[in-house]
Amino acid sequence: MPTTPIAPPAPHQPQEDPTSLLPKKLARARPLFDPEIVQRAVRASFVKLNPMTLLKNPVMFVVEVGATLTTAFLIRDLVTGAGGIGFSLQISLWLWFTVLFANFAEAMAEARGKAQADALRKTRTDTIAKRLGPGGRIDHVPASVLRAPMMVLCEAGDLIPGDGEVIEGIATVDESVITGESAPVIRESGGDRSAVTGGTRVLSDQIRIRITSNPGETFLDRMIALVEGAERQKTPNEIALNILIAGLTLIFLLAVVTLQPFSQYSVNSTGSGVVPSVVVLVSLLVCLIPTTIGGLLSAIGIAGMDRVMQHNVLAMSGKAVEAAGDVNSLLLDKTGTITLGNRQAVEFLPIHGVNAEELADAAQLSSLADETPEGRSVVVLAKEKYGLRGRHIPEHDATFIPFSAYARMSGVDFAGRQLRKGATEAVCKFVAERGGEVPGYIQEVSDRISRNGGTPLAVADGKRLLGVIHLKDIVKGGMKERIAQLRRMGIRSVMITGDNPLTAAAIAGEAGVDDFLAQATPKDKLEYIKKEQLAGRLVAMTGDGTNDAPALAQADVGVAMNTGTMAAKEAGNMVDLDSNPTKLIEIVAIGKQLLITRGALTTFSIANDVAKYFAIIPAMFMATYPALGKLNIMGLHTTESAVLSAVIFNALIIIALVPLALRGVKYRPLDAAHLLRRNLLIYGIGGIVTPFPGIWIIDQIIHALGWA
Amino acid sequence: MTATGVLQILGFFLVLLALTKPLGLFMARVYEGQRTFLHPVLRPLECLLYQLGGIKEEIEQRWTQYAASLLSFSLFSFLFVYVIQRLQAILPFNPQGFTTKKTTPDVSFNTAVSFMTNTNWQAYGGETTLSYFSQMAALTVQNFVSAAAGMAVAIALVRGFARRQGTTIGNFWVDLVRGTVYVLLPLSLIGALLLCSQGVIQNFQAYTTATTLEGGTQVIAQGPAASQIAIKQLGTNGGGFFNTNSSHPLENPTPFSNFFQTLYILLISAGLTYTFGVMVKDTRQGWALFATMSLLFFIGAFVCYPAEQAGNPILAKLGIQTGATIGQPGGNMEGKEVRHGIAPSALWAVATTDASNGSVNSMHDSYTPIGGLVLLFNIQSGEVIFGGVGAGLYGMLLFVVLAVFIAGLMVGRTPEYLGKKIESKEVKMAMVALMACAASILMFTAISANIDFPKDSYWNPPGAAIANTNNGGPHGLSEILYAYSSGTGNNGSAFAGINVNTPWYNLTIGLAMLIGRFLIILPMLAIAGSLVGKRYVPSTSGTFPTHGPLFVALLAGTVIIVGALTFFPALSLTPIVEHFLMEAGQLF
């Protein structure tokens, strides 16, 4: 076997919260603190101390400058032999830790991606391709010389040398390297299953492939670059948030820088105390600037992409993930997403003079050889409703009539009986041809079934018409609840179907979607998306066929199925490697979770400052204005212990929140008002309250250990 | 607190509440160019002004053009006021024969900036410095147009939110004319007449010399006071006709005139919240802003008033009756007029600092530390609690941008307000405004708290900049901090207790006023320009709700926390420590 799967599939975890839209943790999730990843991240934390790298993160850059400053003062004091070295040393160390902790958070997020990229890279072995020359000549050349649009031949056992399109033949292909899914898939020329990916292996048969991408630009290359974060660009919202926290940093810089002259005035006017030292002022500054969010911001973004990846979805940019959170309308394909994909028999409707059991029996017999899901559902219904066990008909006694598009019915001839089931018109014609009687109301019954979103199948035994089977689209279990959840989250769900409007309306009603698009052609889809966007809505959709490409490109979030064509994959901004269209809902939830995590940690970070003021300000002026001691509501021991406790708390909170940043805050599909109330309570009020006991405990410990 | 005092504050608020909707609706119609009941009378005047100014009513401006018009108009206003002061000796209506001895270049610069920026910081004493012509042609005119300019900016910003995928945000000149003609002119006319009925003077006579009961002589200043006072309150200008502002009996003689003037301070700013609601087609949004402002107003009023009514604990310890009794207001009456009493004085002080008005009817310097802290914080929180006319609304919208951006993320969507996405440009501009104000207040105070000048130097004759304060210790620093806060906040009220009429203070406070005015207006107009082009995102149950109590609490919290985080270190060394020291028995 050629492949190292990206990660071994892990067992599904039990779902903790049945209402949660977030899917169960899937296949590729590594444990959050995988030892190998942690090691890698620790190393990277030090590399990232390089000021040129840190310059991209203004908040942590300020902390680094502060740490350098306090270290310089420490060295000066060491040289001159001044007192208070223990304090400066501890402050300097903790300030460096603050930077390292922030670096670690980012490195953790990146290391997870890098580990995945390495696993992928291992699969990129040097393949020898069978290039088809003029006149059918085969040259054996390294894959690296292949360029579009060369032709190659791949036989069973060959690695496909590059991304391309099957132009001749059909083969089973093992794509587990990309998808992690071990079951082979069919690739054939023409239609929507013609795309093949470099690095996957042909298991049977042979295919001719036209190469469509040059080395370095293949899907696998792009995937590696993406998971590695090499192409990572800051998303629009991340940029805006960076501006906000950089601005706050400047404001706090002003507040702290001007505090020095204010203290000078106060010291002059009271004639007591000293102006706070640079070490103390730097400590105050670092405590005030939003280091928590500043340190975790990029980790949150990378982790968001990573979470999408853990769902086996490849997001082409962070911007797409962010946009997913903003989606207003979800275009969901009916078949496979909203309904089970197959119609199922739900009822037998006999005509007058026929009892239901007779109809069920005939229906079951006619379906015994029908291996379609519809046929099997008829057998199952007859068994469940009338206790008719599936019987075995000896093959030599019977002639099975398979379904044909021309006859529009199927059935069996045996023991002198001609059992048929099929489209009402076709079966009625069959009966009439044999001189049977066709009651007029049969058409009404059929129409009624159609109107309710079902499909009528008439059943006949020779010239006797027996009745109608009601086949129905079955809405997936829990789908109605999910759609209701989406509505609460403010997302309209739109069902896309090729059915006629009557049928579509019935299923739409049953599933509870907000709108539907019946008899949808790709052009209709595109028009619908444009219309929604014109009304200011962001649209997400899934698609697989080449003719979906324009709509995928137009949609704000376009998820292409991996089984789809290359054109579809190019057009969308995400690729679902599992080709599961239901996942769109989960992607939206991940996008929202990403934004919520950012907002929550920003709020928390700013709210923390209140307590830090109460810790540091009275401590700073203990000598000048002992009366300010009344603000020392935490009762911190000394000036040094108060400042140190605040700095330590500030550093530790970053580490404490790394798991939250990487995992994202728990997302509940609530409406905005409830979400806001909940999150404001937890991260706003919680952010104000938490540091008080936190700083107090650290102060107790420091005091007990005699550090300050 | 006394029941009468509480009732006075609540009664005042109810009247303000009742007037908000009708006035707001009227202003919305005015700015949207619809016909109002005043059109038959005032439309010809409006048209005449357009003709005189060569203004094309129907042509709209992009934000850059709007900003350029506003800047050029402000520059012209500045030069106009400056020149009139410098030439007042040869100009008419000068019965007292004021020369330019007191209107030196630095005072004239400071005053010109002050009135052009709607601050009305007064480094000069009105009745001893300026001729009637200077007061009327230079200052009163600015009282109208600087207010109208502020309102215009607010309306332009609202259009940014209200319009969908547009390019223009209105026409500055048209907004300026409409605000002046339909809103300020009629209301100040009513105000002036009502004030005259209460005994406020309005004449062109020379000052009267009177003989007092003790036989001494007293010069009683005269002049066209009522007309300036009505607009000074209405336009949140605050520049008094007389030096002692609205504590002067000829400027504010009766309880009714006092009530009426307090009401006029907040009237237009309150009304504009409703105008906002009408223009964005969702009046709940306007009421949410009104509720936020009211909440912050009540917090201020009910911290300040009890502190003043409680008075000074040191006096109480000496056995002096500080409680209210019949015929005795009790509390801290230092610096307050007996005819007003504690609650109306505290209410006025809170209103005037909330609204960047700056007129006073009591001496803020004499407030208790906590009372003074409220006034100082009201200004430092950005003058958004109703705020200056227009300035309060656009200032509050700045905080809305911040609050929505931070908290809005917590509902899992890119933040949006009124269907417009709040993105980097908006955040950047809001931060520029916030930083500019913080920098101006903190840096200038820090410099003045330490800068040294030789005695009798040109820049500051008393010597070091702190030599100008009347008090030492934290109170002296409060006086400096208040001066720069007032200037930057375009408030114009004086804590007083500091001599600011020196070239150093005139220059730096003048700069603070310019920063506080234009480094907010320009970013806000840029936001308007960015928003107006954006697509409207329809609201759903997934949209962050920006009406209702939760949003009000969030917005009020943002205003308080941003203000507190920026100024807590400075405030802890000023009124906060002063309060603790007072409790410990030390006064300054």
Side-chain angles (χ1 to χ4, degrees), chain B residues 540-581:
Chain B
T540 65
S541 64
T543 310
F544 177 27
T546 54
H547 50 82
L550 188 65
F551 179 72
V552 169
L554 173 73
L555 185 55
T558 307
V559 172
I560 292 174
I561 288 195
V562 169
L565 291 182
T566 314
F567 295 105
F568 186 81
L571 290 173
S572 66
L573 293 178
T574 46
I576 295 177
V577 71
E578 194 186 347
H579 171 75
F580 290 130
L581 290 171

Side-chain angles (χ1 to χ4, degrees), chain A residues 450-453 495 497-509 516-520:
Chain A
S450 293
R451 267 201 302 282
N452 290 328
M495 185 181 86
T497 172
D499 290 345
N500 66 58
L502 276 181
T503 312
I507 296 172
F516 64 88
L517 192 58
Q519 286 168 343

Side-chain angles (χ1 to χ4, degrees), chain A residues 237 247-248 250 261 264-265 269 325-326 328 487-490 533 535-536 592 595-596 613 617 625 630 672 676 679, chain B residues 405-406 409-414 431 435 446 450 473 477 535-536 538 540-544 565 569-570 572 577 583:
Chain A
N237 175 260
L248 285 175
L250 276 174
Q264 187 66 56
Y265 170 94
S269 95
D326 277 350
N328 305 85
R487 191 170 307 114
R488 270 206 302 284
M489 288 156 60
Q533 286 173 335
K592 288 196 175 294
L595 293 170
I596 293 176
Y613 267 138
I617 294 287
Y625 287 130
K630 291 211 172 157
L676 182 67
N679 288 331
Chain B
F405 182 75
I406 300 170
L409 279 176
M410 285 198 291
V411 304
R413 290 177 65 85
T414 305
M431 291 314 287
M435 276 188 289
N450 290 281
L477 191 54
R535 183 174 274 171
Y536 173 82
T540 65
S541 64
T543 310
F544 177 27
L565 291 182
S572 66
V577 71
E583 282 187 339

Side-chain angles (χ1 to χ4, degrees), chain A residues 68 128 257 570:
Chain A
T68 313
I128 296 296
V257 165
E570 293 285 345

Side-chain angles (χ1 to χ4, degrees), chain A residues 376-515:
Chain A
R376 266 175 297 178
S377 79
V378 171
V379 176
V380 169
L381 183 72
K383 188 169 96 185
E384 282 175 354
K385 246 190 162 163
Y386 303 102
L388 301 173
R389 307 215 124 261
R391 285 146 294 175
H392 184 71
I393 304 175
E395 255 181 60
H396 51 88
D397 283 353
T399 318
F400 293 105
I401 319 289
F403 180 83
S404 79
Y406 173 72
R408 292 201 294 157
M409 43 182 196
S410 63
V412 62
D413 292 349
F414 92 108
R417 294 169 77 184
Q418 289 179 309
L419 296 171
R420 293 289 181 278
K421 74 170 199 295
T424 308
E425 284 163 39
V427 174
C428 290
K429 197 170 147 231
F430 175 84
V431 169
E433 275 167 7
R434 278 154 190 74
E437 205 182 314
V438 178
Y441 59 83
I442 194 83
Q443 198 57 45
E444 272 170 49
V445 173
S446 297
D447 286 350
R448 204 178 61 231
I449 292 172
S450 293
R451 267 201 302 282
N452 290 328
T455 308
L457 280 186
V459 180
D461 184 352
K463 61 177 193 175
R464 271 184 77 211
L465 185 67
L466 298 176
V468 177
I469 308 172
H470 182 178
L471 286 182
K472 205 176 153 192
D473 254 327
I474 304 294
V475 173
K476 280 186 178 174
M479 190 40 84
K480 199 172 173 171
E481 290 71 27
R482 278 194 149 194
I483 284 170
Q485 264 177 8
L486 285 174
R487 191 170 307 114
R488 270 206 302 284
M489 288 156 60
I491 297 172
R492 292 171 76 242
S493 43
V494 182
M495 185 181 86
I496 308 289
T497 172
D499 290 345
N500 66 58
L502 276 181
T503 312
I507 296 172
E510 198 177 331
V513 293
D514 299 278
D515 196 4

Side-chain angles (χ1 to χ4, degrees), chain A residues 614-680:
Chain A
F614 280 96
I616 296 184
I617 294 287
M620 271 180 152
F621 299 105
M622 236 172 232
T624 313
Y625 287 130
L628 271 183
K630 291 211 172 157
L631 289 180
N632 182 7
I633 51 180
M634 284 170 272
L636 306 179
H637 284 92
T638 63
T639 305
E640 286 79 19
S641 76
V643 176
L644 194 54
S645 308
V647 170
I648 293 177
F649 177 85
N650 191 55
L652 291 182
I653 199 80
I654 297 180
I655 276 293
L657 290 174
V658 167
L660 187 74
L662 295 184
R663 266 197 213 112
V665 301
K666 197 171 166 131
Y667 174 64
R668 287 163 192 276
L670 300 172
D671 64 69
H674 284 92
L675 264 181
L676 182 67
R677 186 171 312 141
R678 204 185 124 78
N679 288 331
L680 263 185

Side-chain angles (χ1 to χ4, degrees), chain A residues 67-249:
Chain A
T68 313
L69 213 58
T70 56
T71 313
F73 275 89
L74 173 69
I75 294 168
R76 186 200 68 184
D77 291 350
L78 278 172
V79 172
T80 60
I85 284 170
F87 175 68
S88 315
L89 175 70
Q90 291 184 70
I91 292 287
S92 303
L93 278 178
W94 281 104
L95 294 186
W96 284 114
F97 281 145
T98 309
V99 185
L100 285 172
F101 289 168
N103 287 350
F104 175 74
E106 191 182 77
M108 274 294 289
E110 285 172 354
R112 290 165 64 80
K114 283 214 178 79
Q116 286 188 347
D118 283 354
L120 281 175
R121 209 173 268 125
K122 279 184 201 149
T123 67
R124 226 176 17 179
T125 44
D126 236 344
T127 319
I128 296 296
K130 296 170 186 159
R131 189 174 64 182
L132 290 167
R137 189 163 50 91
I138 292 177
D139 298 328
H140 289 262
V141 297
S144 52
V145 306
L146 292 177
R147 295 285 184 281
M150 292 175 181
M151 306 281 211
V152 294
L153 174 73
C154 287
E155 292 165 306
D158 286 352
L159 270 182
I160 295 176
D163 291 359
E165 204 174 342
V166 181
I167 50 165
E168 199 186 314
I170 175 167
T172 50
V173 178
D174 173 11
E175 292 194 341
S176 59
V177 57
I178 303 289
T179 62
E181 176 64 55
S182 56
V185 294
I186 305 265
R187 293 292 173 213
E188 61 186 327
S189 60
D192 289 345
R193 295 160 145 215
S194 62
V196 289
T197 312
T200 57
R201 185 176 294 270
V202 177
L203 294 180
S204 71
D205 307 284
Q206 64 169 11
I207 41 177
R208 278 158 196 258
I209 297 165
R210 185 173 54 226
I211 296 294
T212 52
S213 59
N214 298 329
E217 297 164 13
T218 64
F219 190 62
L220 198 63
D221 290 318
R222 287 225 315 268
M223 192 161 160
I224 290 170
L226 275 168
V227 294
E228 213 169 29
E231 284 180 12
R232 207 179 102 76
Q233 286 180 326
K234 284 197 175 125
T235 60
N237 175 260
E238 205 176 343
I239 293 170
L241 196 52
N242 242 319
I243 292 171
L244 178 88
I245 59 178
L248 285 175
T249 305

